[in-house]
Amino acid sequence: LVPTSLHATSEEHFKLFHLHSKMLEFITSQKGSQKLTVGGFLFTKHRNGADGKEIWQCEDRSCTMRVHTKNDAIIAELETHSHTVTYGKVLVKTARATMRQQAKEPTR
């Protein structure tokens, strides 16, 4: 999202701030792939885009929400979620990923 003029409106500044202020976290799935968490929603990597961009789709396959990232920062959000967030789902998946990683480490 780029301001349309040199004198960007406060709405354009808000949109830019909103995109870049979201916390991104990556977790490892049970099958070893990366998942992106944003605002309590989970995303799976859809494909690589041009110039190092990554395109992520909502884990709920009926949802059309997409997120574009570059250098671990959101550069675009496409559509909106067609469902509500399942509170605690990200915490459970993060805890499971941590336990899997710890189980792989040798004991002392």
Side-chain angles (χ1 to χ4, degrees):
L1 185 64
V2 178
T4 55
S5 69
L6 292 176
H7 303 289
T9 66
S10 59
E11 181 180 346
E12 288 171 325
H13 284 292
F14 174 78
K15 286 179 182 178
L16 284 170
F17 174 77
H18 181 68
L19 280 177
H20 295 289
S21 65
K22 289 192 175 180
M23 293 295 298
L24 300 183
E25 183 179 354
F26 296 92
I27 61 173
T28 304
S29 74
Q30 189 172 359
K31 294 182 180 181
S33 63
Q34 291 290 332
K35 290 197 175 199
L36 170 68
T37 68
V38 180
F41 291 98
L42 286 164
F43 294 84
T44 56
K45 189 172 179 182
H46 180 61
R47 64 184 169 89
N48 289 322
D51 300 324
K53 181 169 59 173
E54 295 177 312
I55 300 164
W56 302 81
Q57 66 184 23
C58 182
E59 184 179 61
D60 182 334
R61 296 291 184 212
S62 66
C63 182
T64 58
M65 177 67 170
R66 300 282 187 272
V67 172
H68 294 193
T69 62
K70 187 172 181 178
N71 299 325
D72 295 338
I74 294 176
I75 58 172
E77 291 180 330
L78 308 174
E79 303 293 329
T80 58
H81 288 283
S82 61
H83 57 97
T84 59
V85 67
T86 304
Y87 292 101
K89 186 175 183 178
V90 171
L91 292 174
V92 169
K93 294 217 179 212
T94 301
R96 285 181 180 168
T98 301
M99 287 187 276
R100 274 193 302 277
Q101 184 61 36
Q102 289 173 346
K104 290 180 183 179
E105 295 173 1
T107 56
R108 296 178 201 185

